[in-house]
Amino acid sequence: MPAGIIRGVRHAVVIGGSVGGLLAARALSVAFERVTVLERDDLPEGPAARRGVPQSRQAHALLARGSMVLDELFPGFTSEMLTAGVPTGDLQADCLWYLDGQPMRRARSSMPVYGVTRPLLEHLVRQRVRALPSVTVTDAAEVTGLLHEDPARGGRARDGRVCGVRTVGGTIEADLVVDAGGRASRLPVWLRDLGYGEVPVSTVRTDVVYSTRHYRYDPERIGFAVINAPYPGMPRTGVTVRQENDRVVLFLGGILGEEPPDDDAGVRAFAESLPGPEISDFLRTAEPLGDPVRMRFPASVRRHYERMPRLPRGLVAVGDAVCSFNPIYGQGITVAALQALALARTAGAGRWFTGAARLVDSPWSMATATDLRFPEVEGRRRAVDRPLDAYLRRYRAAAVHDTDLGAAFLRVSNMLAGPGHLLAPGRVLRVLLSPARAGRGPARRRPPVAGRRA
Ligand SMILES: Cc1cc2nc3c(=O)[nH]c(=O)nc-3n(C[C@H](O)[C@H](O)[C@H](O)COP(=O)(O)OP(=O)(O)OC[C@H]3O[C@@H](n4cnc5c(N)ncnc54)[C@H](O)[C@@H]3O)c2cc1C
């Protein structure tokens, strides 16, 4: 893995020991003699959900690009997942995708999919990071602030420098501090208190409500994965994915006021209302392995550190601390992994936040453009969005029949290609020549169920 060595740099401190922080520690372990990860929670020995990562009880998808980057950062990582019992399949052949309510034709592709739970993924990453000789992962260690050196009087440096962190137990000096404190990161407050001003924020409110429950896997009753994506007029989603330990995770979600119910009858009725019949058929005989767990995700939040007129040197932020995406698109871990690759190349030197913003631009615009298809979602719609949206609706209608268009759609949503891939001249032609028309609606219509908030 490439890494820039910076003269004099020896110790990096990472705030937060979840996936983003662990990947950052891996990235810095080559250029820094010591890397210390400070995690507020008590970390479990095995794969287990924990308080500081409430979403770890919810269904997580690992995008194909994410699994590839994990293999780059930790050679053999995906084989290790398989050894740990994670089922794998082909993203297009083994998963049934409903696009705008229509089932997509299946075909073999070169894109892998892994049915891994969030706690097992974090556990495997943590084991790899703990095995690195230069990295120490310390739990029950809460960071409460930054150590900051003011610019030397008359010196050339215009801004100060972060030179460590304050913890509940004392102070730790560092040449580089990485904030991987997640969505609830305190970095904006710390920077404001140090006189750097407010961090500009973009917010797109979708009011996602998640409900996740596990069932026993039975190949006679359900395939590898079924994905009913929401679309205007259908603010509900329902997904099943086969996971390790012979389980199937069911995730029901609602946006913009829709709430998946938790009681059995309500869950079945919600599943009945989805475009595809597979999940409601599965639920007729499925054996639950626990209770449903609910979580709210009010808004996607992007912190624009790159727009700050001043920032201290020696500071980097990664993962959800920079951008917390609508979880329905499953982008968070993959973006954190791509940031880790960039961190390995630069060791946090130079204009980190400018480069990090470029990495976030494409997934952020893909996710928010999809959210902005819903007229109820507030946000800036550019003049180009209307024709683009009309094209993409036609694209999806064509892609459910045309497996090449379907594969390109999955490549983009799995971050293996940029959104421009869907606008390549050959694809535009196929879309325009396709007899499929957008706006046919779902494969079947069911009456709405109770569960909508007033
Ligand atoms: C409901 C939901 C579903 C999601 N589904 C997906 C999905 O399908 N696919 C996907 O890729 N992503 C998904 N995500 C996003 C994904 O969970 C995150 O991107 C991923 O966990 C990486 O985040 P992170 O490490 O930056 O932050 P987090 O996972 O939030 O971790 C932050 C860590 O920092 C610690 N911490 C915070 N403050 C301090 C402090 N002051 N001192 C010490 N420690 C501190 C916390 O205890 C925690 O361990 C989902 C998110 C949600 C909310």
Side-chain angles (χ1 to χ4, degrees), residues 350-368:
R351 297 173 63 82
W352 165 260
F353 287 103
T354 309
R358 270 188 231 115
L359 281 178
V360 169
D361 279 344
S362 176
W364 174 260
S365 49
M366 272 193 318
T368 53

Side-chain angles (χ1 to χ4, degrees), residues 53-56 58-60 182-184 201-212 235 237 251-260 293-303 319-333 363-364 367-368 371 377 453:
V53 186
Q55 74 268 28
S56 52
Q58 301 297 333
H60 270 60
R183 188 178 164 83
V201 174
S202 296
T203 304
V204 177
R205 205 173 177 88
T206 42
D207 281 319
V208 180
V209 183
Y210 257 56
S211 179
T212 290
T237 171
F251 140 61
L252 298 177
I255 60 171
L256 302 165
E258 288 287 334
E259 297 219 2
V293 182
R294 175 177 282 266
M295 185 168 177
R296 288 179 188 282
F297 182 93
S300 307
V301 174
R302 180 174 181 184
R303 298 190 176 110
D320 287 16
V322 176
C323 188
S324 149
F325 299 92
N326 182 339
I328 284 179
Y329 310 118
Q331 297 163 313
I333 292 172
W364 174 260
T368 53
D371 289 339
V377 174
R453 272 183 287 148

Side-chain angles (χ1 to χ4, degrees), residues 56-98:
S56 52
R57 295 175 198 281
Q58 301 297 333
H60 270 60
L62 178 60
L63 300 186
R65 179 79 183 277
S67 61
M68 290 171 187
V69 178
L70 285 174
D71 265 342
E72 256 184 85
L73 290 165
F74 306 107
F77 188 85
T78 51
S79 309
E80 211 173 302
M81 283 203 291
L82 302 185
T83 307
V86 171
T88 185
D90 182 290
L91 194 61
Q92 200 175 1
D94 298 321
C95 304
L96 178 56
W97 296 86
Y98 280 84

Side-chain angles (χ1 to χ4, degrees), residues 16 18 20 39-40 50 55 60-61 118 141 143 181-182 320 327 330 332-333:
S18 176
E39 167 55 47
R40 183 168 48 198
R50 58 190 176 85
Q55 74 268 28
H60 270 60
R118 175 67 175 68
V143 174
D320 287 16
I333 292 172

Side-chain angles (χ1 to χ4, degrees), residues 400-413:
V400 298
H401 306 289
D402 180 331
T403 54
D404 286 341
L405 292 178
F409 180 84
L410 293 179
R411 268 198 296 281
V412 172
S413 50

